[in-house]
Amino acid sequence: MKKRIPITIVNLLLIQTILFAGIQKEPSASDPNTIQTWIDSADYYQSVDPQKALSFYRKIIRYDRDFGAQRFNAEYQLARDFFYTYNNLDSTLKYADMAMKTARAVNDSVKVARIYNLLGTVKLQSGNLEKSLKLLKQAEGIFLKENDLEALAVVYMNLGSVYSTQSKFSDAVDYYNKSRKLYVQLGDKNGEIACLSNLVMIYIQFRQYGIAYKYQQEVYDFYKNSDFIPGILTASTNLGAVHFYLENYDSALVYFNEVLNMSKETGNRYLYSNVLNNIAETHLKQGNLEEAREKAQKSYTLCIEEKDIYCQASALKNLGMIAQKVGDTEKALDYLKQSLPLAEDAHAVMELRDIYSALSGIYKQHGNYQAALEMYEAYINLNESLHEEEVLFRMEELQHEFERQKSRMEILEKTSAVRRAKQIRNMLIVIVAFMIIITIILAVINRMRRNYLKTLQHKNQVIEKEHALVVRHQDHLSLINKILRHDLANNNTAVMSAVKLYKRQKDEEFLDAIIQKAKSSLELIERMKQLEKITASSGTLKPVNIPEIMKRVRLKYPALEWHIQGQGTAFADEALLSVIDNLIENSVTHGEATRIDISIQAIRIHDQPFVEIRVADNGSGISDTIKNRVFDEEFSFGPRARTGLGLYIVKKNIERYQGQIEVEDNSPSGTVMILKIPECPPDNRSVNP
């Protein structure tokens, strides 16, 4: 679910302060003091037509050459408007720089602090958190010195947003509570509600859904009867999120759909795309996969337009989870791999946890145990980090709660301050000691659990590798046996035919054919012997030069017209020669081909390098009715059918290389066999399949 609400809340607060200020009367054009008339006009249009207000602020800047208070206020207001109303960073920085020069010219530290606060908010919005923190800390120091409580409340809330974005949640809660306390003291309900909204997001992060629901319900009750649309939208979205985490999915959908309709009516595309993704994830939880897929796809498209990488990462994650649910692991893997870097860039911790978990399962299902282990380790590390942060956060919450209780007790029991203070100190020692013991116990448990998981993972990895090695050996030996039976049977058939013909015609050409087939059988046995050695050495694949394989096969069929073009090196072994030989023999024997065209080229599949080999003949072709069966074991067809193992062996070899094989019609006649085998760059070493 979307977590990056706090920054939005800060902006809403600063804007709504203007909106709740009320509308002033338009000044008379006959006022004697021209500059005061411009100031009054700017104040009036600020809440009615901000665009017109800009022109009056510019007039004030041009008129006031003495760097006075009016000039600073105009420059400062222009900087604010270009940031909060028009999101124009260049103009914001331009007028903020002018305002800073004016503030320093009059040596007014409070005005300087106001610019620090504005620039800190700009840096926060643009993601420069270190610079934002530095500027806001400078503003905090000045406002503390000047005891400017209203300005301090705003700075504290912005500092809370910085720490929240940095995942320093304890510091964030501390500053949000400081800001909230000041707003309560000032009687500013809007500011207090904004602080509660930010606290809700953190309590959701640490699964304290009861507190989050209590605070968010207060926020929602405040905004629901107001005219402030951004506040209503944000409050409804967050309340829907709380219901989602409480697994009240029907209630969550009610709030999300309400926000979806309102954001569409108001043209808020940013919120519309995010809430659409929230609805998709809710449907996913309910098992409504088609509805979830439709909403997630639409959300992803809108998030791209809005350049919202967090929303893009979340939508892609949801699409991946949906594809995984329906069993389309290839598509799920594609979506999740796209989502991973976006989630990392956006610091989307909760999304990353789901992505790591899903990727680990898919890689394991595909047999890529190394990648599965890496994803699982990332998932475990992230979970441990979140768990440690949660424990620390809850401990510090206990500490903060204790301090608040302590403060209330001191106020209520002034007459017995000494006795109460002693009791509180003792209680504090006990609580701190208890927390220290709990921390030590949790640390020991975590360490034991990590060690156990590492040992278990190592043992599982060893077992899986040994099992995979045995399975590969069995498959390789079975494949060698089938190749020998199939190719030797073909050669023996040819020898028997040549013997019969020789007996009838006494033509020595048939004797030559017999010798040639005998030599071919011996060569086959020798190749299978070499392949058996390869199998015994863990089935290692190696770089194989494809044109060299073609030249060796070509020598066996001198009567054919050959055309070979392209270069390529694939991860394969000596069995690739048998693969190509089987394809050519099928073309000649079954298709009566007289011409072979071979093209070799590099391609990419799912961003991985492959070599594509297209073997085309001009024979009679393969009927559409049997195309999807030609690679089945022992399938044969036609008057010249034999064992039915040739293309099956071809397919098994290609699959052993982690490749693909397809068949299609050639034009104007014949067949094209398309092999796609992982490419081996020149500098690569041998790898295990």
Side-chain angles (χ1 to χ4, degrees):
M1 301 294 292
K2 183 73 173 172
K3 298 296 190 305
R4 203 179 47 185
I5 301 297
I7 294 177
T8 305
I9 296 297
V10 175
N11 294 346
L12 289 174
L13 171 64
L14 296 176
I15 296 170
Q16 84 178 50
T17 303
I18 298 169
L19 296 178
F20 276 79
I23 299 175
Q24 303 178 26
K25 294 182 179 179
E26 184 172 9
S28 169
S30 61
D31 286 352
N33 192 331
T34 303
I35 194 168
Q36 187 60 47
T37 301
W38 291 341
I39 293 170
D40 294 340
S41 298
D43 291 340
Y44 168 78
Y45 284 115
Q46 184 63 47
S47 56
V48 177
D49 187 348
Q51 188 66 39
K52 288 186 179 180
L54 296 181
S55 63
F56 287 105
Y57 287 132
R58 291 191 178 101
K59 287 181 181 180
I60 295 169
I61 293 171
R62 287 196 300 270
Y63 185 88
D64 189 351
R65 301 293 184 180
D66 297 328
F67 297 96
Q70 294 91 339
R71 179 185 179 92
F72 172 83
N73 290 335
E75 293 166 340
Y76 178 73
Q77 194 60 51
L78 280 169
R80 282 169 49 91
D81 285 353
F82 276 112
F83 180 62
Y84 293 116
T85 305
Y86 303 104
N87 197 28
N88 186 329
L89 292 183
D90 291 337
S91 295
T92 298
L93 294 174
K94 170 186 172 183
Y95 286 105
D97 183 62
M98 294 170 63
M100 180 64 81
K101 290 179 181 177
T102 302
R104 286 174 173 162
V106 298
N107 196 26
D108 190 329
S109 61
V110 172
K111 289 182 171 60
V112 170
R114 290 170 66 188
I115 300 300
Y116 282 151
N117 179 56
L118 176 60
L119 291 175
T121 309
V122 172
K123 297 300 182 183
L124 169 61
Q125 187 81 349
S126 61
N128 190 342
L129 302 181
E130 294 299 325
K131 186 65 175 178
S132 174
L133 186 62
K134 180 180 179 181
L135 290 166
L136 292 172
K137 280 291 186 180
Q138 289 176 299
E140 178 191 14
I142 295 172
F143 289 139
L144 277 171
K145 183 178 179 181
E146 299 297 331
N147 197 30
D148 190 335
L149 301 185
E150 186 175 357
L152 263 178
V154 176
V155 172
Y156 283 157
M157 184 152 53
N158 289 343
L159 280 166
S161 297
V162 174
Y163 285 122
S164 179
T165 308
Q166 289 179 324
S167 298
K168 298 178 180 179
F169 297 108
S170 297
D171 292 331
V173 169
D174 185 37
Y175 273 98
Y176 285 143
N177 280 322
K178 284 183 180 180
S179 178
R180 180 187 174 196
K181 183 178 179 181
L182 285 177
Y183 279 124
V184 171
Q185 183 178 339
L186 294 167
D188 187 342
K189 190 65 176 178
N190 298 315
E192 180 188 354
I193 291 299
C195 292
L196 286 176
S197 297
N198 292 330
L199 286 167
V200 165
M201 294 299 99
I202 295 178
Y203 285 121
I204 288 176
Q205 179 85 7
F206 292 103
R207 296 180 289 185
Q208 298 190 35
Y209 303 130
I211 300 176
Y213 178 80
K214 175 185 174 183
Y215 284 176
Q216 190 55 46
Q217 189 64 54
E218 185 177 344
V219 174
Y220 179 79
D221 291 339
F222 173 80
Y223 280 120
K224 69 178 180 181
N225 295 322
S226 74
D227 297 328
F228 187 51
I229 300 300
I232 297 172
L233 291 172
T234 304
S236 299
T237 302
N238 293 350
L239 191 55
V242 174
H243 278 291
F244 175 89
Y245 286 108
L246 289 170
E247 299 182 358
N248 301 328
Y249 299 126
D250 291 334
S251 298
L253 283 176
V254 170
Y255 289 106
F256 288 152
N257 282 311
E258 177 184 335
V259 175
L260 193 69
N261 294 330
M262 291 181 67
S263 59
K264 185 176 182 180
E265 292 172 1
T266 58
N268 191 335
R269 291 169 58 84
Y270 175 86
L271 186 58
Y272 183 88
S273 60
N274 279 271
V275 173
L276 198 63
N277 186 52
N278 289 351
I279 292 174
E281 190 161 354
T282 307
H283 281 303
L284 175 59
K285 290 290 186 182
Q286 292 180 315
N288 304 327
L289 300 184
E290 185 57 33
E291 187 76 8
R293 187 199 63 77
E294 179 186 347
K295 294 292 190 294
Q297 186 63 59
K298 187 174 181 181
S299 171
Y300 175 62
T301 302
L302 292 173
C303 290
I304 292 175
E305 294 174 3
E306 293 299 309
K307 299 180 180 179
D308 185 348
I309 62 170
Y310 194 118
C311 184
Q312 291 177 45
S314 182
L316 284 169
K317 181 214 72 175
N318 287 336
L319 287 168
M321 302 287 279
I322 293 165
Q324 187 180 22
K325 285 275 188 182
V326 299
D328 191 347
T329 56
E330 288 294 334
K331 185 175 288 186
L333 184 62
D334 184 42
Y335 281 132
L336 292 169
K337 287 171 69 176
Q338 292 181 61
S339 175
L340 182 58
L342 293 172
E344 289 173 343
D345 290 344
H347 305 289
V349 177
M350 305 302 287
E351 306 297 337
L352 279 172
R353 184 171 63 181
D354 292 342
I355 293 168
Y356 288 146
S357 177
L359 282 174
S360 176
I362 294 173
Y363 281 133
K364 183 178 179 181
Q365 187 175 348
H366 286 187
N368 189 347
Y369 296 107
Q370 180 63 36
L373 179 60
E374 291 174 358
M375 290 297 102
Y376 184 71
E377 287 177 344
Y379 170 77
I380 290 296
N381 292 336
L382 184 59
N383 250 0
E384 288 179 352
S385 174
L386 289 173
H387 179 69
E388 290 172 0
E389 289 179 4
E390 182 178 347
V391 171
L392 179 61
F393 172 76
R394 293 193 178 188
M395 289 173 59
E396 291 181 354
E397 274 290 283
L398 285 174
Q399 179 68 30
H400 289 313
E401 183 60 29
F402 169 76
E403 290 174 354
R404 287 192 290 268
Q405 291 290 343
K406 175 184 173 182
S407 177
R408 284 195 291 268
M409 291 173 66
E410 287 177 347
I411 294 173
L412 293 173
E413 301 176 8
K414 290 182 179 180
T415 56
S416 55
V418 176
R419 180 172 58 86
R420 292 291 184 186
K422 184 178 180 180
Q423 292 176 347
I424 290 171
R425 281 196 301 270
N426 292 338
M427 187 183 300
L428 179 61
I429 292 172
V430 171
I431 291 175
V432 171
F434 175 76
M435 288 191 295
I436 291 173
I437 293 171
I438 292 296
T439 303
I440 293 172
I441 292 173
L442 289 175
V444 171
I445 292 173
N446 280 335
R447 175 167 300 204
M448 292 172 63
R449 184 167 63 89
R450 285 197 297 267
N451 292 337
Y452 173 77
L453 285 175
K454 287 179 180 178
T455 303
L456 185 61
Q457 290 169 4
H458 176 71
K459 290 181 178 178
N460 285 341
Q461 187 179 13
V462 171
I463 292 171
E464 288 171 352
K465 285 183 177 180
E466 291 177 350
H467 176 69
L469 185 60
V470 170
V471 171
R472 284 201 302 271
H473 284 176
Q474 290 175 344
D475 289 344
H476 291 173
L477 292 174
S478 176
L479 185 60
I480 290 170
N481 185 34
K482 287 181 179 180
I483 292 173
L484 282 172
R485 285 191 288 112
H486 175 267
D487 289 11
L488 289 178
N490 288 346
N491 288 343
N492 288 339
T493 299
V495 168
M496 291 175 67
S497 297
V499 169
K500 290 178 181 179
L501 291 171
Y502 177 75
K503 286 180 177 180
R504 293 175 188 169
Q505 301 177 20
K506 302 301 182 179
D507 188 344
E508 293 189 358
E509 181 181 346
F510 296 117
L511 292 177
D512 294 337
I514 292 171
I515 293 172
Q516 183 180 354
K517 286 298 179 180
K519 288 181 178 179
S520 176
S521 297
L522 291 173
E523 290 175 359
L524 176 63
I525 293 171
E526 182 60 28
R527 288 205 310 271
M528 292 305 102
K529 182 179 179 181
Q530 294 173 2
L531 185 56
E532 185 179 4
K533 290 180 179 178
I534 293 172
T535 301
S537 61
S538 302
T540 301
L541 302 183
K542 63 182 181 180
V544 174
N545 186 293
I546 297 172
E548 288 296 326
I549 293 291
M550 298 303 173
K551 289 178 182 178
R552 292 167 63 185
V553 175
R554 182 175 180 176
L555 294 174
K556 294 182 61 179
Y557 301 93
L560 291 177
E561 179 183 348
W562 289 79
H563 295 275
I564 303 173
Q565 62 178 6
Q567 296 288 332
T569 303
F571 276 128
D573 53 27
E574 284 298 316
L576 184 59
L577 180 66
S578 179
V579 168
I580 303 301
D581 187 27
N582 267 308
L583 295 180
I584 303 303
E585 185 173 351
N586 268 352
S587 295
V588 174
T589 302
H590 302 293
E592 299 182 351
T594 60
R595 174 188 174 114
I596 299 295
D597 294 296
I598 295 176
S599 66
I600 307 164
Q601 63 176 348
I603 62 171
R604 299 191 77 81
I605 300 177
H606 298 306
D607 206 31
Q608 298 298 318
F610 277 72
V611 177
E612 181 183 82
I613 308 168
R614 300 177 70 92
V615 181
D617 65 46
N618 65 342
S620 58
I622 299 175
S623 171
D624 290 338
T625 59
I626 64 170
K627 270 183 186 165
N628 60 345
R629 300 177 58 198
V630 294
F631 297 111
D632 292 348
E633 186 175 7
E634 296 183 358
F635 174 76
S636 60
F637 184 81
R640 299 183 180 180
R642 295 180 183 172
T643 62
L645 285 174
L647 292 181
Y648 170 74
I649 292 170
V650 167
K651 178 187 176 185
K652 295 303 290 183
N653 262 310
I654 296 303
E655 289 177 347
R656 188 164 58 85
Y657 302 153
Q658 298 182 10
Q660 305 169 13
I661 182 166
E662 302 167 2
V663 59
E664 65 181 34
D665 292 333
N666 195 10
S667 178
S669 66
T671 303
V672 181
M673 291 290 181
I674 305 169
L675 311 181
K676 298 175 183 178
I677 307 174
E679 183 183 24
C680 176
D683 57 344
N684 273 36
R685 298 180 179 179
S686 299
V687 298
N688 291 331

